[in-house]
Amino acid sequence: MNQAAMHDAARLLLRIALGVLVLLHGVAKLRGGMSGIERLVEANGLPGVLAYGVLVGEVLAPLMLLLGFHARLGAALVAVNMLFAVVLAHMGQLGQLDGEGGWALELQGMFLATAVAIMLLGPGRYSLNQR
């Protein structure tokens, strides 16, 4: 396999991993309802309707990543979603370790870092519009 093909395969792997894992969170919110997210948003002084932005970041954006359809934009939406999640729900854990010694926000951090990497790298050849 040549170098370009390996880079495209790696980009595809990043998109699939991030897309599937974030989409699972979105599906859980679709199935479980949005009331908890609405309460969290309102508790932070924001209008409850903004809670539905999580569906953009956890359903629409992951689908964009999986298809490679404007994947840089999809990755940016996931990154923004992760920043909101950290600020609204996880700020108290920012400097904490979990019971196994890992960072308490390692999942959110990995989602954010992977989204930024896809934004920088682009989707690669194995995508709908290769942007």
Side-chain angles (χ1 to χ4, degrees):
M1 184 180 274
N2 69 32
Q3 199 72 8
M6 287 192 300
H7 288 179
D8 288 323
R11 289 174 176 141
L12 176 63
L13 180 60
L14 283 173
R15 287 189 2 247
I16 290 172
L18 183 62
V20 167
L21 294 174
V22 173
L23 182 60
L24 291 172
H25 286 267
V27 169
K29 287 176 180 72
L30 286 172
R31 296 177 81 199
M34 296 292 297
S35 60
I37 303 295
E38 283 180 280
R39 283 192 302 273
L40 177 65
V41 168
E42 289 170 347
N44 282 278
L46 299 169
V49 71
L50 291 180
Y52 291 89
V54 76
L55 298 178
V56 172
E58 294 185 11
V59 177
L60 178 62
L63 291 173
M64 293 170 74
L65 289 169
L66 289 169
L67 296 172
F69 180 73
H70 296 286
R72 287 182 196 258
L73 175 60
L77 292 170
V78 169
V80 168
N81 186 70
M82 287 298 101
L83 291 172
F84 269 91
V86 168
V87 169
L88 295 178
H90 301 288
M91 278 304 277
Q93 299 171 295
L94 201 55
Q96 294 180 353
L97 300 179
D98 64 17
E100 290 81 42
W103 185 33
L105 299 182
E106 61 190 16
L107 181 63
Q108 294 84 354
M110 186 60 71
F111 284 171
L112 178 59
T114 305
V116 170
I118 293 169
M119 286 170 43
L120 295 172
L121 292 170
R125 179 176 45 179
Y126 307 118
S127 61
L128 285 182
N129 61 359
Q130 301 176 6
R131 293 182 201 205

